[in-house]
Amino acid sequence: GHVTITSTLNLDVTPPTLKIDWLETGSLSMVVTTDKGVGLRMIHRSIERELNGKANVQFSDSGLHCSMLIPWNEPSESIR
């Protein structure tokens, strides 16, 4: 299979946000599920509770897509 990871830092919103997309495709062992096992619960808790962000994980026949939106707490002046 293939993994594609993209990230986007949006400084035009308050607070600025970092979006990370994880896309897995072509895995022969992909199983479509709605169950939330330990790994998925850890992703949600880490992103949502510890980083005050949002995490969305979707399974499909073609692969897995995990999208994470995390507040960026660095001052925007130091980034530009």
Side-chain angles (χ1 to χ4, degrees):
H2 300 278
V3 175
T4 303
I5 301 170
T6 58
S7 62
T8 306
L9 182 59
N10 186 351
L11 300 174
D12 296 327
V13 296
T14 304
T17 56
L18 175 65
K19 182 178 181 187
I20 301 170
D21 283 302
W22 174 289
L23 180 62
E24 284 185 42
T25 57
S27 174
L28 297 176
S29 61
M30 183 58 61
V31 176
V32 178
T33 182
T34 57
D35 293 338
K36 289 191 177 179
V38 173
L40 289 178
R41 287 195 310 262
M42 287 177 62
I43 290 170
H44 280 277
R45 286 183 182 164
S46 296
I47 300 299
E48 295 175 359
R49 291 183 182 177
E50 295 178 25
L51 299 176
N52 295 317
K54 295 179 183 177
N56 183 28
V57 179
Q58 297 176 343
F59 293 91
S60 69
D61 293 335
S62 60
L64 169 122
H65 179 221
C66 179
S67 181
M68 297 165 273
L69 190 62
I70 304 165
W72 188 263
N73 295 322
E74 293 290 325
S76 58
E77 293 80 30
S78 66
I79 297 170
R80 293 181 183 187

